[in-house]
Amino acid sequence: MALYITEECTYCGACEPECPVNAIAAGDDIYVIDPNTCNECAGLDAQACVAVCPAECIVQG
């Protein structure tokens, strides 16, 4: 199951460059994660976007 960015997103952009599979893109008001691309950083110790999100708004979808 892919990760999801909630409405609490501050549109800071910290998450986008951290995604190893380029699943995050700027939406109209918040960043969005493509559920077909996101693999929740499989094989890594932590989810890269979650680790850098200052608003703590990236959750399980």
Side-chain angles (χ1 to χ4, degrees):
M1 182 170 248
L3 297 172
Y4 174 80
I5 299 176
T6 67
E7 295 295 322
E8 284 78 32
C9 175
T10 61
Y11 213 65
C12 73
C15 58
E16 186 178 20
E18 296 300 317
C19 182
V21 294
N22 298 315
I24 301 174
D28 291 336
D29 297 318
I30 64 173
Y31 276 80
V32 293
I33 298 176
D34 179 351
N36 296 315
T37 305
C38 177
N39 66 359
E40 296 186 38
C41 294
L44 299 178
D45 291 336
Q47 294 156 334
C49 60
V50 173
V52 299
C53 180
E56 298 180 357
C57 64
I58 304 173
V59 298
Q60 292 288 335

